[in-house]
């Protein structure tokens, strides 16, 4: 029984503050919008043309919204992008 309590404590202690993550993601999305990456805008992902189709609000997983705030549709599919990966067309 004591082992279960210690595992519960570990799970609770490593869970991120969701309100903080929400603010960080909102700031990242605001930053990309202010830089001109609005929905419908044509962009280049590297050298592949695409269109901004939305913003990534994911708080958990491999591609969280604070690191990859843009969602872009290209001929190769839909991807989540960082500002370093895209440029305005």
């Amino acid at each position: 029984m004591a082992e279960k309590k210690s595992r519960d404590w570990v799970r609770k202690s490593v869970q991120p503050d969701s309100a903080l993550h929400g603010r960080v993601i909102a700031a990242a999305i605001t930053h990309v919008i202010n830089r001109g990456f609005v929905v419908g805008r044509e962009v280049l992902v590297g050298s592949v043309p695409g269109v901004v189709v939305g913003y990534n609000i994911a708080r958990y997983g491999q591609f969280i919204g604070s690191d990859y705030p843009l969602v872009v549709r290209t001929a190769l599919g839909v991807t989540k992008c960082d500002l370093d990966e895209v440029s305005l067309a």
Side-chain angles (χ1 to χ4, degrees):
M1 189 71 157
E3 185 178 332
K4 183 181 184 302
K5 283 185 179 180
S6 67
R7 276 192 248 141
D8 287 341
W9 178 83
V10 170
R11 265 186 247 132
K12 288 178 183 175
S13 67
V14 297
Q15 289 201 1
D17 177 13
S18 62
L20 174 62
H21 274 181
R23 288 190 299 272
V24 172
I25 292 168
I29 291 171
T30 300
H31 179 69
V32 297
I33 290 171
N34 290 338
R35 298 269 314 263
F37 294 95
V38 294
V39 173
R41 183 72 187 252
E42 293 183 4
V43 296
L44 294 172
V45 181
S47 61
V48 178
V51 175
V52 175
V53 293
Y55 305 103
N56 180 12
I57 61 170
R59 292 181 181 183
Y60 306 102
Q62 188 173 1
F63 300 99
I64 60 173
S66 58
D67 293 337
Y68 301 94
L70 290 173
V71 179
V72 177
R73 177 175 287 128
T74 70
L76 303 172
V78 177
T79 186
K80 297 172 185 167
C81 300
D82 182 16
L83 274 181
D84 295 338
E85 301 170 326
V86 298
S87 60
L88 298 174

